[in-house]
């Protein structure tokens, strides 16, 4: 009986983690597209250094990777709507970039 309960709890945790991962993928894609469009980020290279993600990523991939990392760190993401998360992450991302990166 205990093993069965333990297995059910483990399965529940795995399903919860999968759902959370899917939500991070959905949100990160949505937020990244908006950030790239609003800040007019070119596909080139160099932002990875400022965002502390691998330098071999192009700027769009670097932003996506950074956004995913940030979303994973936000506890209780469900308490925020997508627009609030977008604004918070966009504003935080801008603080990591030198001003000329946004020209």
């Amino acid at each position: 009986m205990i093993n069965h309960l333990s297995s059910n709890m483990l399965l529940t945790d795995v399903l919860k983690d999968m759902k959370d991962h899917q939500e991070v993928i959905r949100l990160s894609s949505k937020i990244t597209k908006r950030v790239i469009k609003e800040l007019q980020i070119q596909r080139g290279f160099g932002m990875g250094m400022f965002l502390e993600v691998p330098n071999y990523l192009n700027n769009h991939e670097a932003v996506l990777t950074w956004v995913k990392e940030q979303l994973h760190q936000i506890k209780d993401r469900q308490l925020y709507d997508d627009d609030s998360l977008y604004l918070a992450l966009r504003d935080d991302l801008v603080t990591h970039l030198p001003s000329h990166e946004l020209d």
Side-chain angles (χ1 to χ4, degrees):
M1 177 89 163
I2 292 175
N3 285 340
H4 181 68
L5 288 175
S6 180
S7 295
N8 283 343
M9 290 174 64
L10 179 61
L11 181 58
T12 301
D13 289 344
V14 168
L15 290 173
K16 183 180 174 187
D17 287 347
M18 286 175 58
K19 184 177 178 183
D20 184 62
H21 182 71
Q22 290 171 339
E23 181 65 6
V24 167
I25 290 171
R26 181 192 73 78
L27 276 172
S28 60
S29 177
K30 183 177 182 178
I31 290 170
T32 298
K33 287 175 186 176
R34 283 182 68 185
V35 166
I36 288 169
K37 185 175 181 178
E38 183 179 331
L39 300 180
Q40 299 179 3
I41 297 171
Q42 300 300 309
R43 188 172 290 277
F45 290 85
M47 288 182 71
M49 179 176 64
F50 301 109
L51 299 177
E52 299 178 4
V53 298
N55 285 330
Y56 59 82
L57 298 174
N58 70 46
N59 293 340
H60 292 182
E61 294 168 333
V63 171
L64 177 62
T65 300
W66 183 87
V67 168
K68 281 182 187 175
E69 289 174 358
Q70 301 311 303
L71 286 171
H72 277 295
Q73 294 177 20
I74 298 173
K75 305 296 183 211
D76 301 322
R77 269 189 318 277
Q78 69 277 6
L79 298 177
Y80 304 95
D81 62 32
D82 291 2
D83 288 332
S84 296
L85 287 169
Y86 165 73
L87 292 171
L89 290 174
R90 180 206 60 199
D91 293 349
D92 190 27
L93 181 133
V94 169
T95 66
H96 288 78
L97 303 176
S99 60
H100 70 275
E101 288 291 319
L102 300 175
D103 293 339

